[in-house]
Amino acid sequence: MLDQSPPAAPGFLANSSTRVRRHNRRVLLHALRVHGALSRAELARTTGLTPQAVANIVEDLIGAGLVREAGRRKSPRGQPPIAIEIAKEGGYAVGVRIDATHFHAVAADLSGELIEMGEGLAPAGTDSGWLEFVAGIQAGFAARFGAERCLGLGLVTPGPFDIEWPGVPTPGAIPALQRRGVADELAAMTGTDVFLENDATAAALGERLYGAARDLNDFFYVFIGEGVGGGIVIRGEPYRGSRGNAGEFGHLIVDPNGAQCYCGNRGCLGEYLSLRTMRRFIAEAVSSGETEAGALDAWITRGADALATGLANVENLFDPEVVILGGAAPAPFLSRLADSLGDLRASVRQDRGRDRLRVSNLGERSAALGASALPILWATTAGLRLDR
Ligand SMILES: [Zn+2]
């Protein structure tokens, strides 16, 4: 189950009535998102807010178009209570996932349902061109669905952020967007709240809102794409580390004498699992006379072995409920990789058997869905800390 008891407004915010109001609105929306429609009395019991506070906030949210009265419930005696539910159409969020070659853009309503999606080639442009490109996507959605109902823009791109590492460009990353300041600049350009996240962390949050992690609070997400990344969710919140760069699963060392990684180390997991290295591996095998199918088999066998090592390390470090395998790689490919893992290595999770691993079915759009999840989770989850 998701965390069902969001904390009340912290005392240090008590002198800021706007922030308390905003917090309490999120407490109520969180309860409605987790439990579905609830009466005012049930909302008070679930959230710990007083009935008067609940009545005020519900009125406030109805006025803002974010919730509505869903009609009366059947009740054995007395006046049946009126159920309050999230008004899906009350707001929408935009999610953009962009790397050096492609972009996916989605709009989702307040309940997390997709209302539009698109994709295309990324522009080959200058530093400022990237921001303008993303702002243009946002402007298109605002023109179609209304700027005032927009909950925010989630922008997702490969990290790492704000560091000069690994010294050479990360495959697929856009250097102009690998800094936290981008969120403020885009917010000023678009007039909407902007949430910036790396693709693996965003995809993990997308799984929590839409996919395989809806029932999970503590999990690790493996992102396999051009590179390999990881998203850590602890108690329902993303764990980012000091600069938003936690979870660099692709640079977990699985063989100190292994293949040279672009980061400078040897035997990084990404060298055995990324789509980039897979293409190189298969091209080399085919040029030396092997069949493409045979080369793919060999690559998956080798990759599964490296992944098994990485998974045991992650499990021993975090003791997650589940590890989810996903990313920009096609779903059938991920399933094949999971099937090739065989018996997982021993770890603190070995009592769970094969239940230790789930394969995402969100497909290549997972990170864009995760991007749109950022403003929705921000609007509807009390206590959630996101970078804005
Ligand atoms: Zn590396």
Side-chain angles (χ1 to χ4, degrees):
M1 287 298 291
L2 299 179
D3 181 5
Q4 292 179 6
S5 50
F12 66 87
L13 293 178
N15 59 358
S16 166
S17 61
T18 310
R19 291 181 76 178
V20 171
R21 211 179 96 222
R22 191 167 183 167
H23 175 89
N24 286 342
R25 282 168 65 142
R26 289 162 70 195
V27 169
L28 244 65
L29 287 167
H30 177 84
L32 293 172
R33 189 165 58 74
V34 172
H35 298 281
L38 294 172
S39 69
R40 287 174 175 81
E42 288 167 334
L43 275 168
R45 275 199 299 277
T46 307
T47 61
L49 294 166
T50 65
Q52 187 54 50
V54 166
N56 291 343
I57 301 160
V58 166
E59 197 185 330
D60 193 28
L61 288 169
I62 288 174
L66 298 176
V67 306
R68 64 176 159 232
E69 293 186 334
R72 292 193 182 276
R73 293 253 194 82
K74 287 201 172 68
S75 171
R77 59 180 184 277
Q79 176 80 312
I82 298 171
I84 306 297
E85 66 179 12
I86 287 180
K88 308 197 303 183
E89 69 290 347
Y92 69 95
V94 174
V96 174
R97 193 265 169 176
I98 188 165
D99 66 19
T101 53
H102 286 84
F103 78 92
H104 284 85
V106 304
D109 69 24
L110 195 53
S111 71
E113 217 164 275
L114 274 185
I115 48 181
E116 194 176 298
M117 60 183 145
E119 63 181 290
L121 294 177
T126 62
D127 284 6
S128 62
W130 290 100
L131 287 179
E132 278 152 15
F133 181 76
V134 176
I137 294 173
Q138 170 67 24
F141 283 114
R144 289 193 290 287
F145 301 117
E148 67 295 338
R149 289 196 310 120
C150 185
L151 299 167
L153 162 67
L155 174 63
V156 165
T157 190
F161 297 111
D162 287 339
I163 51 170
E164 300 282 326
W165 180 85
V168 294
T170 303
I174 301 164
L177 300 182
Q178 288 178 273
R179 28 182 207 97
R180 289 278 161 195
V182 160
D184 285 343
E185 289 162 37
L186 262 176
M189 289 167 77
T190 61
T192 191
D193 284 340
V194 176
F195 305 81
L196 179 70
E197 197 49 85
N198 75 64
D199 41 16
T201 301
L205 291 173
E207 293 291 345
R208 190 155 189 268
L209 190 61
Y210 300 104
R214 269 184 280 203
D215 59 335
L216 303 176
N217 269 323
D218 295 276
F219 64 96
F220 187 87
Y221 182 89
V222 177
F223 187 99
I224 297 183
E226 284 305 298
V228 173
I232 305 164
V233 175
I234 297 175
R235 292 184 186 168
E237 290 203 30
Y239 177 76
R240 299 190 165 75
S242 61
R243 283 175 298 190
N245 294 324
E248 279 288 357
F249 190 58
H251 294 289
L252 205 71
I253 296 169
V254 293
D255 178 3
N257 303 311
Q260 178 71 47
C261 176
Y262 63 89
C263 77
N265 292 329
R266 284 189 166 276
C268 289
L269 190 53
E271 292 301 306
Y272 302 88
L273 284 176
S274 71
L275 298 180
R276 178 181 51 87
T277 49
M278 179 188 77
R279 284 195 300 271
R280 195 179 61 209
F281 181 91
I282 290 176
E284 283 170 8
V286 168
S287 72
S288 59
E290 288 179 48
T291 65
E292 196 172 317
L296 180 61
D297 285 346
W299 192 84
I300 284 183
T301 302
R302 198 186 74 150
D305 191 47
L307 178 61
T309 303
L311 290 179
N313 287 334
V314 158
E315 287 180 329
N316 284 332
L317 201 54
F318 293 109
D319 189 16
E321 291 167 270
V322 165
V323 174
I324 294 173
L325 193 58
F333 171 82
L334 294 175
S335 295
R336 247 192 100 183
L337 190 59
D339 291 343
S340 304
L341 281 166
D343 289 335
L344 296 176
R345 287 194 206 284
S347 87
V348 294
R349 301 300 289 166
Q350 71 186 83
D351 58 309
R352 294 290 305 273
R354 293 292 298 178
D355 292 339
R356 288 152 64 179
L357 192 73
R358 289 183 193 172
V359 178
S360 163
N361 57 12
L362 292 183
E364 297 170 58
R365 293 170 294 122
S366 65
L369 291 171
S372 73
L374 297 170
I376 294 172
L377 288 169
W378 169 258
T380 63
T381 311
L384 180 64
R385 288 181 293 277
L386 290 175
D387 228 44
R388 282 196 311 156

